């Protein structure tokens, strides 16, 4: 078993190595090189994460038997949901959405949420659901690293994205105060309650897992900004036997139905995945989840080599 | 799969060509292959693997590649990377070659030589670089056995370096010459499990080449769905024009297969008695006949049943349900012990 200092160091090292402040998308955000569309995609998708946070905190509360713990932890729900309608972190995130030019209703409806983002956030909730209090609190310790990223973000927005209205930054400003306070409590709890080498290892693993979830969220957001085109190794054929489109690749052939073909034909390298998904939503308003389906399809097609990122 | 020749400058200890490869004449010229390709496309074939032996020992390879492309097939060259030179490869690309699968014995020159019988690694690495320069997708294929399984991490690293689109980590199939070397090549379970762990971890690191790794049937308790079912998905044509359901089927006794240049590919594929012998499920003995998994593995490999039991219609002994699974268990037990068997190279090179 590690000493308390050593254990804390191990936890902090997880952040140094894996926290999403090092993700290429965040680096670009802070460098000021994101396009307006990319920033909007991030805000819209990250809102889904925000909506899962109180659910996650409710689950944690349901595992706690100590009134003192619950009194402290319930702050998080208040911070997030406010005491009155129109208050709290979730509401402030919607202010940010407005400030980057999104429509409130569109964000709240969660329709444009990328399947990869949804999966990552749902994984977080599931993790807390299926783990004990100690591991769940340990997973929340990414807050230890959050104060810093919020400050960098505010500076970056003011400097590089002047078109974002300053009222939109209130969420970040509040989090620079809340995150360190929350993290200090969480860390104290974890240090006190991890009473064996196994507990400590589980806490480190939980924190790693959480970092991985945040990372995957940004992977998905980044992928939506990618410009895809038909792989230069692919050949399009009409399958003589089944009369469908066949994409022939080295050692593989992928059969497409007419919807797949329609999406593929839009992958000209000039449009981002997000743009393609939105275009198809306006073309097929009758299909529910069409954007999500398109993203899912594009991901799959890239994975099997039908599509590649345009240079 | 178009087996253009059985000649090959290498003598790999796990060579899967027929043992009587010297007696097989190369009966089809480029025009005859072109006819086979046209008929294959008519049947619904999409890809054609140009293989062997070493296909690039054939001087008319450019004509053959051109014929495959003209037939509307997507040609893949399955090569050892020698003796084809850069100009030759560029020419193949210009006439329609679409991708290259390069075999690799090992990442270390001396151990590669001990398996292939000739010094090959340097030439292969140079070849891989040409493939990349010529913008052809590169598939690396490494045949795994107890002497190179520990280097799976290096194979993966090399695949990344060479920008391979796919790395096939193919455990040795114990047919033909490989069966003679089984005691020297069959790995232990611990070796396989370690390699499987490495592959799983590597798949999470992007960008990764597509990694193919399948537990060998000797250790899997279930047979492989060999060729996707007998005479079901893949057509093999030998250098002499004989149409087979798999590259090893010619060795099975009592089966007659026909020549594409004599009867046409469709008839050879559909009607040859050898093709019909094990197609579908009617041939199956118990326990396959009533097995719920028969639609998944098709009763396994007929060639393996013949090689290990002398009966091509027996249940593949790789299956834990097979009456003669004991022969595979015995081979496993031997592999768990320290192997003292020496690798025996296939007969002299034939370029």
């Amino acid at each position: 078993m590690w000493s308390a200092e050593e254990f804390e160091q191990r936890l902090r090292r997880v952040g140094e190595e894996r926290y999403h402040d090092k993700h290429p998308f965040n680096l670009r955000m802070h460098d000021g090189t994101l396009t307006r569309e990319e920033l909007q995609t991030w805000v819209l998708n990250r809102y889904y994460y925000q909506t899962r946070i109180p659910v996650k905190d409710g689950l944690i509360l349901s595992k706690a038997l100590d009134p003192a713990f619950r009194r402290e932890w319930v702050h998080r729900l208040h911070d997030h949901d406010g005491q009155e309608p129109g208050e709290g972190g979730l509401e402030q995130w919607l202010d940010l959405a407005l400030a980057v030019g999104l429509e409130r209703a569109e964000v709240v409806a969660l329709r444009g949420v990328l399947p990869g983002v949804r999966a990552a956030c749902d994984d977080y909730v599931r993790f807390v659901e299926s783990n004990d209090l100690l591991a769940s609190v340990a997973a929340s310790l990414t807050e230890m690293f959050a104060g810093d990223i919020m400050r960098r973000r505010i500076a970056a927005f003011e400097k590089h994205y002047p078109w974002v209205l300053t009222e939109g930054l209130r969420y970040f400003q509040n989090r620079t105060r809340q995150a360190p306070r929350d993290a200090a409590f969480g860390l104290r709890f974890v240090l006190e309650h991890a009473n064996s080498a196994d507990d400590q290892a589980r806490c480190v693993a939980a924190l790693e897992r959480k970092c991985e979830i945040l990372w995957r969220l940004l992977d998905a957001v980044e992928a939506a900004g990618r410009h895809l085109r038909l792989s230069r190794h692919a050949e399009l054929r009409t399958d003589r036997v089944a009369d469908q489109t066949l994409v022939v690749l080295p050692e593989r052939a992928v059969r497409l139905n007419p919807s797949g073909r329609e999406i593929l034909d839009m992958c000209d390298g000039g449009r981002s995945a997000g743009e393609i998904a939105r275009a198809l939503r306006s073309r097929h308003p009758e299909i529910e989840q069409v954007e999500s389906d398109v993203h899912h399809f594009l991901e799959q097609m890239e994975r099997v080599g039908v599509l590649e990122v345009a240079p | 799969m178009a087996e253009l020749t059985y000649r090959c400058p290498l003598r790999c200890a796990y060579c899967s060509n027929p043992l009587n490869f010297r007696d097989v004449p190369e009966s089809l010229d480029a025009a005859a292959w072109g006819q086979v390709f046209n008929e294959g496309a008519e049947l619904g074939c999409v890809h054609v693997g140009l293989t062997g032996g070493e296909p690039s020992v054939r001087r008319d390879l450019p004509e053959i590649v051109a014929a495959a492309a003209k037939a509307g097939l997507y040609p893949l060259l399955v090569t050892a990377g020698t003796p084809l030179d850069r100009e030759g490869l560029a020419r193949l690309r210009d006439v329609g070659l679409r991708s290259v699968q390069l075999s690799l014995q090992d990442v270390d020159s001396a151990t590669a030589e001990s398996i292939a019988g000739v010094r090959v690694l340097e030439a292969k690495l140079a070849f891989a670089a040409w493939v990349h320069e010529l913008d052809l997708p590169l598939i690396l294929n490494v045949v795994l056995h107890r002497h190179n399984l520990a280097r799976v991490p290096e194979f993966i690293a090399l695949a990344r370096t060479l920008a391979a689109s796919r790395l096939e980590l193919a455990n040795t199939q114990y047919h033909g010459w490989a069966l003679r070397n089984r005691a020297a090549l069959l790995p232990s379970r611990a070796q396989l499990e370690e390699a499987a762990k490495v592959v799983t971890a590597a798949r999470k690191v992007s960008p990764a080449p597509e990694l193919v790794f399948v537990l060998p049937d000797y250790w899997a308790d279930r047979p492989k769905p060999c060729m996707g079912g007998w005479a079901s998905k893949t057509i093999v044509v030998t250098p002499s024009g004989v149409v087979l359901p798999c590259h090893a089927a010619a060795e099975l006794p009592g089966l007659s297969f026909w020549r594409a240049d004599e009867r046409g590919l469709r008839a050879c594929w559909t009607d040859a008695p050898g093709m019909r012998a094990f197609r579908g499920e009617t041939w199956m003995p118990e326990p396959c006949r009533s097995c719920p998994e028969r639609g998944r593995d098709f009763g396994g490999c007929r060639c393996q049943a013949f090689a290990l039991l002398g009966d091509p219609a027996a249940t593949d002994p790789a299956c834990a349900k097979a009456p003669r699974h004991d022969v595979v268990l015995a081979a496993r037990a031997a592999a768990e012990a320290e192997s003292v068997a020496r690798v025996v190279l296939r007969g002299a090179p034939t370029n």
Side-chain angles (χ1 to χ4, degrees):
Chain A
M1 192 171 155
W2 296 312
S3 69
E5 294 76 43
E6 168 92 36
F7 181 31
E8 183 177 337
Q9 243 176 39
R10 297 270 169 162
L11 291 166
R12 291 195 183 276
R13 199 181 307 157
V14 173
E16 283 157 24
E17 287 168 3
R18 307 178 188 217
Y19 190 54
H20 67 175
D21 60 341
K22 286 165 279 295
H23 191 285
F25 191 86
N26 263 336
L27 294 179
R28 288 181 49 223
M29 185 188 298
H30 300 151
D31 284 350
T33 56
L34 291 186
T35 63
R36 184 188 178 93
E37 186 204 337
E38 285 173 316
L39 206 55
Q40 288 179 340
T41 304
W42 175 70
V43 170
L44 182 138
N45 279 279
R46 174 79 193 204
Y47 180 74
Y48 186 72
Y49 179 80
Q50 303 300 339
T51 65
R52 304 299 102 171
I53 294 301
V55 174
K56 176 267 300 181
D57 284 323
L59 285 166
I60 288 183
L61 275 173
S62 75
K63 294 170 195 275
L65 301 176
D66 174 13
F69 178 95
R70 292 197 300 260
R71 260 195 308 278
E72 174 61 36
W73 205 268
V74 78
H75 282 315
R76 292 166 183 252
L77 289 181
H78 297 150
D79 284 348
H80 218 81
D81 294 336
Q83 301 284 359
E84 301 291 336
E87 295 177 357
L90 204 52
E91 207 46 51
Q92 285 159 8
W93 195 272
L94 290 170
D95 292 342
L96 174 65
L98 290 182
V100 298
L102 291 166
E103 281 179 37
R104 182 186 171 98
E106 186 195 352
V107 180
V108 172
L110 301 175
R111 259 199 322 174
V113 176
L114 298 162
V117 168
R118 202 175 276 269
C121 299
D122 292 350
D123 260 9
Y124 185 29
V125 173
R126 250 195 312 277
F127 177 84
V128 171
E129 222 164 17
S130 58
N131 277 273
D132 67 357
L133 183 63
L134 181 64
S136 302
V137 173
S140 77
L141 289 181
T142 43
E143 286 166 336
M144 291 198 291
F145 323 119
D148 218 35
I149 199 176
M150 293 299 161
R151 272 185 291 277
R152 257 183 289 164
R153 204 164 270 167
I154 293 167
F157 269 70
E158 286 173 345
K159 182 166 170 204
H160 301 297
Y161 310 102
W163 52 271
V164 178
L165 309 170
T166 33
E167 303 85 85
L169 304 182
R170 257 197 314 154
Y171 176 84
F172 302 142
Q173 285 150 358
N174 287 339
R175 286 306 292 166
T176 56
R177 279 182 292 103
Q178 291 163 355
R181 186 200 69 199
D182 292 349
F185 177 79
L187 179 62
R188 222 169 29 246
F189 178 85
V190 165
L191 292 180
E192 270 170 32
H193 291 80
N195 289 322
S196 66
D198 180 56
D199 277 353
Q200 291 180 334
R202 285 196 305 118
C203 289
V204 171
L207 188 53
E208 287 175 351
R209 178 78 185 275
K210 171 69 176 302
C211 286
E212 183 195 311
I213 284 165
L214 292 173
W215 197 274
R216 272 169 50 204
L217 189 159
L218 289 180
D219 278 349
V221 170
E222 192 175 43
R226 296 219 268 185
H227 293 67
L228 296 167
R229 65 169 190 197
L230 187 66
S231 159
R232 61 203 190 287
H233 301 309
E235 275 180 22
L236 285 185
R237 305 263 172 81
T238 302
D239 183 346
R240 296 177 203 211
V241 179
D243 195 30
Q244 283 176 317
T245 296
L246 201 62
V247 187
V248 186
L249 295 159
E251 302 243 326
R252 179 176 292 126
V254 179
R255 191 166 283 160
L256 297 181
N257 63 19
S259 307
R261 180 64 193 257
E262 183 185 1
I263 302 171
L264 196 74
D265 286 340
M266 295 178 79
C267 297
D268 53 6
R271 278 174 284 204
S272 72
E275 285 171 307
I276 290 171
R278 280 193 294 279
L280 282 158
R281 183 179 67 187
S282 3
R283 204 185 286 177
H284 300 286
E286 75 287 0
I287 306 172
E288 215 172 313
Q289 301 286 347
V290 61
E291 277 186 86
S292 168
D293 289 350
V294 170
H295 283 294
H296 191 68
F297 175 80
L298 293 175
E299 258 170 55
Q300 253 184 330
M301 290 301 107
E302 195 189 348
R303 194 166 51 239
V304 298
V306 168
L307 295 172
E308 65 184 7
V309 176
Chain B
M1 302 300 292
E3 297 187 326
L4 302 182
T5 177
Y6 287 141
R7 288 176 288 150
C8 181
L10 274 56
R11 303 168 56 198
C12 297
Y14 42 66
C15 180
S16 61
N17 281 165
L19 293 175
N20 68 339
F21 64 96
R22 282 170 214 284
D23 309 330
V24 179
E26 286 166 27
S27 316
L28 304 188
D29 60 13
W33 276 114
Q35 180 62 27
V36 170
F37 298 149
N38 288 333
E39 292 171 21
E42 276 305 313
L43 281 169
C45 290
V46 173
H47 295 97
V48 61
L50 304 172
T51 176
E54 171 49 48
S56 70
V57 302
R58 277 192 72 140
R59 286 166 194 275
D60 56 355
L61 185 58
E63 288 82 348
I64 294 173
V65 169
K70 187 157 171 260
L73 299 176
Y74 191 104
L76 161 77
L77 181 69
V78 182
T79 179
T82 174
L84 193 58
D85 60 15
R86 193 184 191 285
E87 288 65 41
L89 182 62
R91 180 145 170 243
L92 295 182
R93 184 200 57 178
D94 294 344
V95 297
L97 183 67
R98 295 306 307 257
S99 67
V100 175
Q101 178 185 307
L102 175 65
S103 66
L104 210 61
Q105 281 68 28
D106 216 313
V107 287
D108 169 78
S109 184
T111 40
E113 185 173 348
S114 71
I115 283 288
V118 282
R119 193 174 173 88
V120 282
L121 181 64
E122 294 74 9
K124 282 169 184 276
L125 295 179
F127 185 88
W130 303 334
V131 174
H132 187 59
E133 286 161 26
L134 294 168
D135 198 27
L136 285 162
L138 173 68
I139 296 159
L140 284 182
N141 182 288
V142 183
V143 175
L144 296 177
H145 46 80
R146 68 185 294 141
H147 304 292
N148 68 359
L149 258 165
R151 284 183 291 285
V152 162
E154 283 91 332
F155 291 131
I156 295 172
L158 182 62
R160 288 182 203 272
T161 309
L162 297 175
S165 63
R166 169 167 155 137
L167 170 63
E168 297 177 346
L169 295 161
N171 279 288
T172 305
Q173 298 277 320
Y174 294 97
H175 304 303
W177 201 264
L179 185 58
R180 297 196 175 181
N181 274 313
R182 191 177 67 188
L185 296 178
L186 191 65
S188 70
R189 182 186 288 273
Q191 282 184 297
L192 287 163
E193 283 173 355
E194 181 56 34
K197 245 192 280 175
V198 169
V199 171
T200 307
R203 284 194 177 122
K204 291 186 185 152
V205 183
S206 101
E210 182 182 356
L211 294 174
V212 182
F213 178 86
V214 183
L215 204 63
D217 51 5
Y218 270 63
W219 286 108
D221 282 340
R222 283 292 179 274
K224 293 277 162 280
C226 194
M227 308 305 282
W230 181 272
S232 162
K233 288 201 167 73
T234 307
I235 307 177
V236 177
V237 183
T238 71
S240 56
V242 176
V243 180
L244 299 174
C246 87
H247 60 273
E251 306 209 320
L252 299 183
L255 296 183
S256 86
F257 297 105
W258 297 343
R259 279 177 58 168
D261 52 335
E262 290 175 355
R263 308 216 196 196
L265 190 66
R266 183 180 291 273
C268 294
W269 166 251
T270 315
D271 299 328
M275 289 295 196
R276 301 168 74 109
F278 300 112
R279 190 182 268 143
E281 298 180 355
T282 49
W283 64 274
M284 285 183 181
E286 288 294 354
C288 300
R289 185 183 285 268
S290 59
C291 180
E293 295 170 68
R294 67 186 184 281
R296 198 188 57 78
D297 58 38
F298 318 107
C301 174
R302 299 303 88 229
C303 302
Q304 182 147 283
F306 172 66
L308 298 185
L309 307 174
D311 175 9
T315 296
D316 186 337
C319 184
K321 297 180 180 179
R324 293 302 316 276
H325 188 48
D326 60 297
V327 300
V328 163
L329 293 180
R332 278 192 204 177
E336 292 292 63
E338 198 51 44
S339 170
V340 289
R342 276 187 53 243
V343 170
V344 180
L345 296 177
R346 198 199 57 170
T350 49
N351 45 340

